[in-house]
Amino acid sequence: MVEPRRQRTFRCRFLCMLFLLSAGFFIGSAFVVTDYKERFLSWGFVDAMQNTRLKTCETQCRPQGSESLPKGIVSKTSDLEMRPLWGPLDKKKSKSSMNLLAIAAGIKQKESVNKIVKKFLSSDFVVMLFHYDGIVDDWRDLVWSDHAIHVSAVNQTKWWFAKRFLHPDIVSEYAYIFLWDEDLGIENFNVGRYLKIIKEEGLEISQPALDPNISEVHHHLTARDSRSKVHRKINKLIGGGRKCDANSTEPPCTGWVEMMAPVFSRASWHCAWHMIQNDLVHAWGLDFQLGYCAQGDRTKNIGIVDSEYIIHYGLPTLGGSVANKTEEPNQATHDMSSHSSEKLVRKRSFVELEIFKNRWKKAVKEDNCWIDPYKKPPQQGKS
Ligand SMILES: *[C@@H]1O[C@H](CO)[C@@H](O)[C@H](O)[C@H]1NC(C)=O
Ligand SMILES: *[C@@H]1O[C@H](CO)[C@@H](O)[C@H](O)[C@H]1NC(C)=O
Ligand SMILES: *[C@@H]1O[C@H](CO)[C@@H](O)[C@H](O)[C@H]1NC(C)=O
Ligand SMILES: *[C@@H]1O[C@H](CO)[C@@H](O)[C@H](O)[C@H]1NC(C)=O
């Protein structure tokens, strides 16, 4: 588009005037500035000014969608803090002291959830309950109920909730995120000591070991070794005739936790959230890829804490994970109405696992910029 000549000359004249005036501008003659600004406005002067400024600001990074706002007002992240309606504004707690427990909870597990939550609240955690059975009111009699955040959606899984309600921008304040099932016994678990250990050991992703005498243990790696504080590897035969030893570098020999009680650092959660697929609600297969979120070597940054351990009751609940084994489920407690729905859930989980594996393969193939840090060197003897 060609501007009318007259207008263009005016524009130039005003631009020149701007340079002459800029001295006065900075001396602080606000009066003059406002005056001229008003007059320039009608000549499209502000446009020109903005263009030049944009050039110098182009390199500045602004969160998408906030480009039309001045930077200082942009509030990119949030948290799950409840705030008072009146009174003085809260002073911010120090970031490093804030942690989050998010737990999938059904009313049938009220007692065990109550025990877990009480322990975490006394360690100053923010607590979030994902009610997958839609029952919220029946929790109100517990003293802590009003201090927890309740999210309810019927028949949804822990991963469905986590993907939707634990976006990294929402939970960025929390140093550690405990994303737990409800069917856990925590008599031998101390929250403060656990936090201290994972900090000292530099564990970005961790879980408390499972007491092998009482728990349903799916993988040897997660079983408690009563002689150690933390372990990252096992040295024994695992299923399928495979052997884990000191040289193992892959899950489930090392660099792996199970999904019933994972603990994520801020950074590892930021990564893991992106890997959770919207539609694959059982999240099978995710555990084997979590090493990519370990912020470094998965054989070092992922570990099992033995000195603080839990019991995994392995109840077939929606919040809890459905076992991979095909053995008939425990008769004791049932959250799903019938065996058949359990079977259907398991079937769907296996289908999801296949889809996830294929998606991963496809993504690797299509992304030429991505380098696999865990790629095995080509086997000797072959090729
Ligand atoms: C399991 O039982 C054995 C034998 O009774 C005992 O030595 C071991 O300490 C127990 N393990 C745990 C984690 O309590
Ligand atoms: C581990 O690797 C080293 C060096 O390759 C080898 O000497 C050692 O025997 C291996 N250990 C096991 C348990 O396979
Ligand atoms: C079942 O196995 C798959 C991969 O082998 C794993 O991703 C998934 O988490 C397992 N599920 C449970 C409940 O252990
Ligand atoms: C939730 O799942 C149960 C079976 O586990 C079923 O009886 C119920 O109808 C489902 N509710 C909804 C709203 O889908």
Tab-separated table of all heavy atoms in Angstrom, residues 218-219 258-259 283-288 321-324 350 353, ligand 3:
chain	number	residue	atom	x	y	z
A	218	HIS	N	4.973	-56.108	42.103
A	218	HIS	CA	4.944	-56.515	40.698
A	218	HIS	C	6.338	-56.661	40.114
A	218	HIS	O	6.570	-57.414	39.194
A	218	HIS	CB	4.153	-55.503	39.860
A	218	HIS	CG	2.728	-55.354	40.304
A	218	HIS	ND1	2.091	-54.154	40.350
A	218	HIS	CD2	1.830	-56.272	40.738
A	218	HIS	CE1	0.849	-54.323	40.784
A	218	HIS	NE2	0.676	-55.595	41.034
A	219	HIS	N	7.256	-55.887	40.648
A	219	HIS	CA	8.623	-55.904	40.119
A	219	HIS	C	9.617	-55.931	41.271
A	219	HIS	O	9.470	-55.184	42.231
A	219	HIS	CB	8.874	-54.667	39.263
A	219	HIS	CG	8.086	-54.665	37.986
A	219	HIS	ND1	8.541	-55.249	36.841
A	219	HIS	CD2	6.863	-54.168	37.704
A	219	HIS	CE1	7.636	-55.115	35.883
A	219	HIS	NE2	6.606	-54.460	36.384
A	258	GLU	N	7.549	-47.833	40.075
A	258	GLU	CA	6.221	-48.285	39.687
A	258	GLU	C	5.230	-47.139	39.880
A	258	GLU	O	5.511	-46.160	40.543
A	258	GLU	CB	5.817	-49.506	40.511
A	258	GLU	CG	4.833	-50.359	39.762
A	258	GLU	CD	4.651	-51.734	40.389
A	258	GLU	OE1	5.473	-52.110	41.246
A	258	GLU	OE2	3.687	-52.408	40.018
A	259	MET	N	4.038	-47.290	39.317
A	259	MET	CA	3.167	-46.126	39.229
A	259	MET	C	2.204	-45.951	40.397
A	259	MET	O	1.367	-45.062	40.364
A	259	MET	CB	2.387	-46.180	37.913
A	259	MET	CG	3.303	-45.978	36.738
A	259	MET	SD	4.376	-44.578	37.034
A	259	MET	CE	4.465	-43.908	35.410
A	283	ALA	N	-2.352	-45.070	31.350
A	283	ALA	CA	-0.938	-44.675	31.329
A	283	ALA	C	0.033	-45.842	31.380
A	283	ALA	O	1.156	-45.694	31.849
A	283	ALA	CB	-0.637	-43.677	32.455
A	284	TRP	N	-0.374	-46.979	30.918
A	284	TRP	CA	0.566	-48.095	30.882
A	284	TRP	C	1.666	-47.807	29.877
A	284	TRP	O	1.402	-47.285	28.789
A	284	TRP	CB	-0.161	-49.399	30.518
A	284	TRP	CG	-0.832	-50.027	31.691
A	284	TRP	CD1	-1.306	-49.381	32.786
A	284	TRP	CD2	-1.102	-51.419	31.887
A	284	TRP	NE1	-1.864	-50.284	33.651
A	284	TRP	CE2	-1.753	-51.540	33.122
A	284	TRP	CE3	-0.874	-52.569	31.124
A	284	TRP	CZ2	-2.157	-52.771	33.630
A	284	TRP	CZ3	-1.284	-53.791	31.627
A	284	TRP	CH2	-1.909	-53.894	32.872
A	285	GLY	N	2.870	-48.166	30.241
A	285	GLY	CA	4.005	-47.927	29.363
A	285	GLY	C	4.749	-46.659	29.730
A	285	GLY	O	5.944	-46.544	29.491
A	286	LEU	N	4.047	-45.748	30.351
A	286	LEU	CA	4.674	-44.495	30.777
A	286	LEU	C	5.849	-44.759	31.721
A	286	LEU	O	6.905	-44.134	31.623
A	286	LEU	CB	3.616	-43.644	31.486
A	286	LEU	CG	3.963	-42.202	31.774
A	286	LEU	CD1	3.861	-41.392	30.493
A	286	LEU	CD2	3.014	-41.619	32.818
A	287	ASP	N	5.653	-45.710	32.626
A	287	ASP	CA	6.686	-45.983	33.624
A	287	ASP	C	8.031	-46.338	32.987
A	287	ASP	O	9.080	-45.909	33.460
A	287	ASP	CB	6.235	-47.072	34.606
A	287	ASP	CG	5.654	-48.296	33.909
A	287	ASP	OD1	5.521	-48.282	32.671
A	287	ASP	OD2	5.340	-49.276	34.610
A	288	PHE	N	7.974	-47.077	31.885
A	288	PHE	CA	9.223	-47.499	31.258
A	288	PHE	C	9.930	-46.360	30.529
A	288	PHE	O	11.113	-46.464	30.229
A	288	PHE	CB	8.966	-48.666	30.305
A	288	PHE	CG	8.903	-49.980	31.039
A	288	PHE	CD1	7.774	-50.347	31.757
A	288	PHE	CD2	10.005	-50.836	31.052
A	288	PHE	CE1	7.734	-51.538	32.463
A	288	PHE	CE2	9.966	-52.032	31.755
A	288	PHE	CZ	8.824	-52.388	32.460
A	321	SER	N	-3.700	-49.171	40.513
A	321	SER	CA	-3.427	-49.748	39.205
A	321	SER	C	-3.906	-51.198	39.158
A	321	SER	O	-3.898	-51.905	40.154
A	321	SER	CB	-1.932	-49.686	38.925
A	321	SER	OG	-1.227	-49.972	40.099
A	322	VAL	N	-4.307	-51.613	38.016
A	322	VAL	CA	-4.722	-52.991	37.831
A	322	VAL	C	-3.472	-53.810	37.540
A	322	VAL	O	-2.653	-53.428	36.719
A	322	VAL	CB	-5.687	-53.106	36.634
A	322	VAL	CG1	-6.365	-54.453	36.624
A	322	VAL	CG2	-6.708	-52.008	36.689
A	323	ALA	N	-3.342	-54.918	38.236
A	323	ALA	CA	-2.119	-55.708	38.087
A	323	ALA	C	-1.988	-56.259	36.671
A	323	ALA	O	-2.972	-56.514	35.987
A	323	ALA	CB	-2.127	-56.845	39.083
A	324	ASN	N	-0.730	-56.427	36.245
A	324	ASN	CA	-0.471	-56.994	34.935
A	324	ASN	C	-0.737	-58.489	34.895
A	324	ASN	O	-0.998	-59.044	33.858
A	324	ASN	CB	0.987	-56.762	34.566
A	324	ASN	CG	1.169	-55.433	33.863
A	324	ASN	OD1	0.204	-54.841	33.418
A	324	ASN	ND2	2.395	-54.992	33.769
A	350	PHE	N	-4.052	-52.927	28.291
A	350	PHE	CA	-3.112	-53.549	27.358
A	350	PHE	C	-3.196	-52.911	25.971
A	350	PHE	O	-2.171	-52.708	25.311
A	350	PHE	CB	-3.362	-55.059	27.268
A	350	PHE	CG	-2.701	-55.821	28.390
A	350	PHE	CD1	-3.461	-56.455	29.366
A	350	PHE	CD2	-1.320	-55.894	28.470
A	350	PHE	CE1	-2.848	-57.139	30.410
A	350	PHE	CE2	-0.697	-56.581	29.513
A	350	PHE	CZ	-1.468	-57.211	30.482
A	353	LEU	N	-1.391	-49.723	26.146
A	353	LEU	CA	0.059	-49.946	26.176
A	353	LEU	C	0.601	-50.066	24.762
A	353	LEU	O	1.624	-49.457	24.423
A	353	LEU	CB	0.371	-51.199	26.997
A	353	LEU	CG	1.835	-51.643	27.050
A	353	LEU	CD1	2.706	-50.565	27.669
A	353	LEU	CD2	1.974	-52.945	27.837
B	3	LIG	C1	2.010	-53.393	33.108
B	3	LIG	O1	3.108	-53.461	32.231
B	3	LIG	C2	3.374	-52.296	31.481
B	3	LIG	C3	4.562	-52.517	30.590
B	3	LIG	O2	5.081	-53.769	30.663
B	3	LIG	C4	3.611	-51.132	32.380
B	3	LIG	O3	3.816	-49.970	31.670
B	3	LIG	C5	2.421	-50.958	33.302
B	3	LIG	O4	2.650	-49.914	34.192
B	3	LIG	C6	2.180	-52.246	34.056
B	3	LIG	N1	1.038	-52.092	34.911
B	3	LIG	C7	1.064	-52.349	36.201
B	3	LIG	C8	-0.179	-52.100	36.926
B	3	LIG	O5	2.039	-52.787	36.745
